[in-house]
Amino acid sequence: RMCSWNRGWTDMRLRRLLLSSMSCVVLLAFAPVRGQADTPAAQDCPSSRTTVEQIQCLAKVADSADAEMTKKYEQVLALHSRDGDAKARTSFEQSQRAWLTYRKQACDAIWEFWNPGTIKNAAEIQCRIALARERTRLLDALYEVPLHH
């Protein structure tokens, strides 16, 4: 049997809970929603409709980003060969190997973060794309070699 003072206190708690829940619903209803078109995957693969299509498309984009990075790497390597500085060339090659190890570890961490979700593979590929593009821009800026030279 509930005391009358306890029932009033419980009713007040329920009203507060209901009001706070309704406030959250109202706020969420008017909150901006981040659309699919805003995601990197949607920008790179706008016609992908399924997860499988998205992963297949992103894999091609990753290959393209890696090819651009490799092209830039080879351009910088050619500069080192032309200058004849074996120490600088070796240092550059070591830095690229270290960067590739970093990228693998960073993107593996992204995969683990999203695991066991279905987005884990797409997120890992997007990580590789983003880092390859960034490395390409960085090599271009640091060595001042035009990207399409």
Side-chain angles (χ1 to χ4, degrees):
R1 188 168 163 200
M2 198 185 283
C3 297
S4 62
W5 66 269
N6 194 16
R7 189 178 59 208
W9 183 77
T10 303
D11 288 344
M12 187 172 22
R13 283 184 50 201
L14 287 174
R15 278 190 220 126
R16 283 184 184 164
L17 179 61
L18 181 61
L19 282 174
S20 66
S21 297
M22 287 174 36
S23 297
C24 288
V25 169
V26 169
L27 288 173
L28 288 174
F30 292 102
V33 177
R34 182 179 169 102
Q36 184 180 0
D38 295 338
T39 65
Q43 292 169 4
D44 284 325
C45 301
S47 62
S48 297
R49 299 288 174 238
T50 67
T51 302
V52 172
E53 288 176 357
Q54 186 180 46
I55 289 171
Q56 290 170 343
C57 176
L58 287 172
K60 291 176 185 173
V61 174
D63 289 345
S64 176
D66 278 349
E68 283 293 317
M69 181 183 62
T70 299
K71 180 179 176 182
K72 178 58 59 186
Y73 170 78
E74 288 171 353
Q75 288 174 346
V76 174
L77 207 55
L79 286 175
H80 285 297
S81 296
R82 186 186 71 206
D83 293 342
D85 189 346
K87 186 175 180 182
R89 179 187 168 102
T90 300
S91 181
F92 177 66
E93 290 170 330
Q94 288 172 345
S95 75
Q96 185 68 6
R97 282 192 295 275
W99 182 86
L100 289 168
T101 299
Y102 157 76
R103 181 177 72 165
K104 174 148 181 30
Q105 291 173 345
C107 295
D108 284 353
I110 293 297
W111 189 91
E112 288 296 338
F113 177 79
W114 290 106
N115 189 35
T118 57
I119 197 170
K120 66 183 177 265
N121 294 323
E124 186 271 338
I125 297 170
Q126 288 174 325
C127 174
R128 286 190 286 130
I129 293 167
L131 291 178
R133 287 174 175 165
E134 181 60 30
R135 178 67 172 173
T136 303
R137 283 190 295 272
L138 186 60
L139 290 175
D140 190 48
L142 292 175
Y143 290 93
E144 298 180 5
V145 180
L147 188 57
H148 301 289
H149 197 235

